[in-house]
Amino acid sequence: MDAMSQLRRQLHEHTAYLRKEGFLDDQFEQLQKLQDENSPDFVVEVVSIFFEDSEKLLNNMARALEQKIVDFKQVDAHVHQFKGSSASIGAMRVKNVCIEFRNYCEAQNVEELFGCRCFRCIQKLQYEYALLKNQLEYLFRVEQQIRAAGG
Amino acid sequence: MGMAAEAQFHVLAVDDSHLDRKLIEMLLKTSSYHVTAVDSGTKALEFLGVHEDEQNQANTPSVFPNDHHQDVDVNLIITDYCMPGMTGYDLLRKIKESKSLKDIPVVIMSSDNIPSRINRCLEEGAEEFFLKPVQLSDVSKLRPHLLKGIAKESQPNIDNIKAMEESHSPDRTRTNYNGLEVA
């Protein structure tokens, strides 16, 4: 198998893997369908915006949870935004953690247990996001290699 | 200079999320619409030619017959619901309260599926309510609303739309069309 076919197979298999493991859902495929000759970098551009937004939101969430008196409405607002952007690119696992997180915030229960749950949620969120970022960056590297090889 | 290019409908997209703005812009462009995307309701009203003092006042009665000019030609407005400051619902109301803008179809987008919210928007005059993430199939639902807008206008205006890219028309609703892209 030549290098190009190998790369293409890598790309195909990895995308399928990400779909199967639930990292990405149909929405990601919609983004790929929108990409065309006039906007050949559309997916990478959108995902880059997602990375920027996500990092900002995760920082904001962490800071809000560090306050002596936590403003859960504020935390919830950040998670809501994150849920929206992850849904927009098809980041299913991240989106689902956001939904779980919001359920805790909405409960507005100021017990220590609840506070711990929030912290656990944000850790889960950070973990899932880091995983996804890794996966997508790998995907884009393979795509780049294909393009560089004339594909 | 006699070539009348096929006129594109001009859609104004409003969303505070950079990501969602990029998405909706792409969806609209793929569907052959000319798009202007702004990040707030205030900027949307500015773009539509509603000046700050008008924005803050209640529906001021128009004294002069030609005072409700529009700076640019927008055929449809699609706006996110949840935005800081002016929500999509607030924007919808302001548009429906404006003599010069009330006939522009407005579509609301939201990531939350809240029936009472949806009903409120539709009752206030929104043509459609799309759940995010918005799909190409949603965008295809815009066409009838845009075509209805054309039919409402008188014949001379239909010719004006066909020659949109051409010289200025003396018509009061098309004074300063210049296709500015505001991101």
Side-chain angles (χ1 to χ4, degrees):
Chain A
M1 196 183 275
D2 70 355
M4 181 61 91
S5 310
Q6 228 171 327
L7 281 171
R8 284 196 194 280
R9 197 180 75 165
Q10 233 178 310
L11 185 67
H12 178 79
E13 283 179 356
H14 197 72
T15 310
Y17 165 77
L18 294 180
R19 294 288 302 268
K20 180 162 161 277
E21 293 297 307
F23 283 102
L24 299 171
D25 62 22
D26 283 341
Q27 179 61 14
F28 190 76
E29 205 182 313
Q30 295 303 312
L31 295 185
Q32 290 174 312
K33 284 187 184 163
L34 283 172
Q35 184 163 287
D36 62 13
E37 321 83 54
N38 296 324
S39 308
D41 298 311
F42 176 65
V43 181
V44 173
E45 284 167 9
V46 173
V47 173
S48 302
I49 299 172
F50 172 70
F51 288 161
E52 263 176 53
D53 285 355
S54 303
E55 273 143 47
K56 240 182 274 172
L57 286 168
L58 283 168
N59 280 334
N60 290 342
M61 271 180 239
R63 247 182 285 128
L65 285 171
E66 280 164 16
Q67 302 306 307
K68 272 213 162 105
I69 299 174
V70 179
D71 182 353
F72 287 108
K73 270 207 155 93
Q74 185 62 268
V75 176
D76 183 58
H78 294 313
V79 182
H80 180 239
Q81 254 189 289
F82 200 10
K83 180 187 139 216
S85 56
S86 54
S88 289
I89 70 149
M92 195 167 81
R93 277 162 63 151
V94 172
K95 181 186 79 178
N96 288 339
V97 180
C98 288
I99 292 171
E100 189 189 329
F101 201 160
R102 290 197 77 203
N103 289 337
Y104 290 129
C105 291
E106 269 164 40
Q108 296 240 355
N109 194 347
V110 199
E111 287 171 17
E112 237 180 64
L113 176 65
F114 169 57
C116 284
R117 280 198 191 141
C118 263
F119 279 99
R120 249 188 286 142
C121 263
I122 192 178
Q123 280 176 342
K124 205 167 168 182
L125 207 51
Q126 285 164 332
Y127 172 73
E128 285 295 337
Y129 169 71
L131 262 181
L132 177 70
K133 185 166 186 213
N134 229 16
Q135 298 290 1
L136 286 173
E137 282 175 340
Y138 171 72
L139 204 69
F140 292 145
R141 273 202 302 277
V142 177
E143 266 185 0
Q144 229 178 321
Q145 280 179 284
I146 290 174
R147 272 196 225 173
Chain B
M1 282 294 221
M3 236 185 10
E6 187 183 323
Q8 279 187 307
F9 286 119
H10 183 192
V11 179
L12 176 64
V14 191
D15 200 320
D16 62 314
S17 158
H18 183 192
L19 203 161
D20 287 344
R21 260 197 323 276
K22 186 148 180 95
L23 247 178
I24 193 71
E25 215 173 339
M26 189 63 170
L27 287 166
L28 291 166
K29 283 185 176 161
T30 301
S31 309
S32 303
Y33 298 124
H34 172 58
V35 190
T36 300
V38 298
D39 65 6
S40 72
T42 315
K43 291 214 184 120
L45 289 172
E46 266 173 47
F47 184 76
L48 292 162
V50 179
H51 304 289
E52 213 183 284
D53 46 1
E54 276 179 75
Q55 283 188 39
N56 294 328
Q57 287 170 24
N59 195 14
T60 35
S62 86
V63 179
F64 306 102
N66 273 354
D67 74 344
H68 39 98
H69 71 280
Q70 235 180 284
D71 281 355
V72 288
D73 215 359
V74 168
N75 305 115
L76 186 137
I77 298 159
I78 181 163
T79 177
D80 186 27
Y81 183 94
C82 280
M83 295 189 292
M86 195 186 293
T87 66
Y89 179 75
D90 298 330
L91 177 61
L92 167 67
R93 288 193 64 190
K94 291 220 186 237
I95 289 165
K96 292 304 168 189
E97 282 166 12
S98 158
K99 275 190 150 69
S100 57
L101 305 174
K102 65 180 174 59
D103 290 328
I104 303 178
V106 181
V107 170
I108 311 277
M109 307 178 278
S110 175
S111 51
D112 300 308
N113 189 351
I114 301 171
S116 57
R117 173 184 292 184
I118 299 173
N119 287 330
R120 214 160 113 241
C121 290
L122 295 174
E123 275 164 25
E124 194 62 39
E127 307 290 340
E128 299 271 355
F129 192 103
F130 294 159
L131 283 176
K132 286 180 165 185
V134 178
Q135 307 293 302
L136 263 176
S137 53
D138 293 315
V139 176
S140 68
K141 294 180 192 164
L142 299 178
R143 197 141 215 115
H145 300 296
L146 287 158
L147 293 171
K148 217 185 343 170
I150 300 277
K152 259 192 199 163
E153 294 166 3
S154 56
Q155 185 61 34
N157 289 347
I158 291 175
D159 293 337
N160 284 341
I161 285 184
K162 287 195 175 144
M164 214 189 241
E165 303 298 321
E166 305 293 319
S167 53
H168 295 298
S169 115
D171 185 86
R172 63 173 167 80
T173 63
R174 285 172 180 72
T175 37
N176 302 315
Y177 178 72
N178 56 12
L180 267 177
E181 199 97 74
V182 177

